Amino acid sequence: METARDFVTVNIPRYLIDDMRREMKNDSADIDKLVETFVYESLHTPNAEIRAAMEEARSGIEMGTIDTSSG
């Protein structure tokens, strides 16, 4: 199933494009797909802090309280 797509122009330095191609290990990969993959992964892959919080929540073990009084 194909999703709707919008056209956007993004200026990316050549060295980053080269890095993306190396990371994907496929020099013939479509640059649109490379950018889409990196953006998707950066938005949908939790960082280490979020993963730790998720594991804590699943474990049921309370690791402490959060002081929200200064907020």
Side-chain angles (χ1 to χ4, degrees):
M1 180 171 115
E2 183 66 25
T3 59
R5 296 180 181 269
D6 288 327
F7 178 82
V8 294
T9 300
V10 179
N11 291 313
I12 301 174
R14 171 63 58 192
Y15 74 92
L16 288 178
I17 292 171
D18 293 342
D19 288 350
M20 286 188 292
R21 286 191 171 126
R22 270 193 298 281
E23 186 68 26
M24 296 295 288
K25 296 177 179 68
N26 182 0
D27 288 343
S28 64
D30 180 30
I31 196 66
D32 292 341
K33 185 63 178 171
L34 290 171
V35 172
E36 181 181 349
T37 299
F38 280 104
V39 169
Y40 182 86
E41 288 178 0
S42 70
L43 294 174
H44 297 289
T45 303
N47 63 30
E49 184 177 357
I50 293 172
R51 282 194 303 272
M54 291 166 62
E55 290 170 17
E56 178 185 329
R58 287 185 187 126
S59 74
I61 300 171
E62 187 175 322
M63 302 299 284
T65 58
I66 298 174
D67 180 7
T68 59
S69 63
S70 63

